[in-house]
Amino acid sequence: MRVQQRGREQEWERLMRAANAGDRAAYHCLLSEITPYIRGLARRRLWTDAGTGDVEDVVQEILLAIHLKRQTWDEDRPIGPWIATIARNKVVDALRRRSRQLDEPIEDFENLLPVEAEEAPAEDVDVEGMLQQLQERPRTIVRLVSIEGLAARDVANQLDMSEGAVRVALHRALKSLAALYRNK
């Protein structure tokens, strides 16, 4: 069998050399001869549930890739592994595409959604009371940045501070609030 396969590959190599030299008839003959081989590779490597259309789509992709890359084949090397590598890569691409296309019946849609974790019961946190424990300027900065959503630059302009000073003051104030929360 190996002798027969090597003889077949030698014929493919002869045809590819002629095709790369511009012989259109040799190129047509090459494509006709390698198509059954490629189809067999695609069938064996695709999932067993692949339909005939899926296999033929991959065969066409492989043939197109061979056409586009035919000048990259090194004439001093066997053509069989070169074709098999292109085929393997195209089959892998097809399997990746298929894995991204998950078909699920819509009737079971509710069962597919993740169960949302129940929220922990809200603790009685007196945010206003905690804020009142901060000095006036840090309290104002926390309110403006963390509650009202102003940018540090805007708060700096409003309070006549540098933007860096606002960031430092905010960081320190939040650190103090975290300590107050832990110690409550």
Side-chain angles (χ1 to χ4, degrees):
M1 183 77 175
R2 287 271 186 217
V3 174
Q4 182 183 11
Q5 182 176 346
R6 183 62 195 141
R8 178 178 63 177
E9 287 182 16
Q10 286 175 336
E11 177 63 12
W12 294 348
E13 291 167 6
R14 184 189 68 74
L15 291 169
M16 181 65 98
R17 283 187 193 93
N20 282 344
D23 186 339
R24 294 177 66 141
Y27 188 58
H28 178 73
C29 186
L30 171 71
L31 294 179
S32 296
E33 287 193 22
I34 65 173
T35 298
Y37 171 73
I38 291 170
R39 188 173 290 117
L41 287 174
R43 277 193 191 124
R44 283 191 302 277
R45 292 184 177 172
L46 283 173
W47 292 328
T48 56
D49 66 341
T52 307
D54 290 343
V55 171
E56 289 305 311
D57 288 346
V58 173
V59 168
Q60 291 304 313
E61 287 181 36
I62 295 168
L63 289 171
L64 180 61
I66 288 171
H67 172 72
L68 295 173
K69 298 176 186 207
R70 68 185 183 275
Q71 299 298 332
T72 66
W73 171 62
D74 181 354
E75 293 185 6
D76 294 330
R77 303 183 122 201
I79 197 168
W82 182 79
I83 292 171
T85 299
I86 292 173
R88 184 192 73 235
N89 291 340
K90 290 302 173 183
V91 167
V92 167
D93 290 346
L95 291 172
R96 284 183 183 141
R97 280 192 307 270
R98 182 182 296 162
S99 71
R100 288 189 294 248
Q101 299 170 350
L102 179 63
D103 294 329
E104 291 293 338
I106 196 162
E107 296 82 30
D108 297 332
F109 183 68
E110 283 184 0
N111 297 334
L112 294 175
L113 295 176
V115 177
E116 292 184 25
E118 292 183 27
E119 291 184 28
E123 295 181 29
D124 294 328
V125 177
D126 182 14
V127 175
E128 193 58 41
M130 290 174 61
L131 282 173
Q132 290 303 322
Q133 294 181 42
L134 295 176
Q135 293 179 355
E136 184 179 346
R137 183 164 275 205
R139 181 174 56 239
T140 302
I141 292 172
V142 169
R143 277 200 175 108
L144 292 174
V145 174
S146 298
I147 297 173
E148 293 182 23
L150 293 178
R153 180 179 341 124
D154 298 333
V155 174
N157 290 336
Q158 188 174 340
L159 299 177
D160 196 29
M161 298 173 64
S162 71
E163 190 175 340
V166 169
R167 292 180 193 278
V168 169
L170 176 64
H171 174 74
R172 289 179 180 162
L174 292 175
K175 190 174 179 181
S176 296
L177 286 172
L180 288 170
Y181 178 75
R182 281 191 301 271
N183 295 329
K184 73 168 198 120

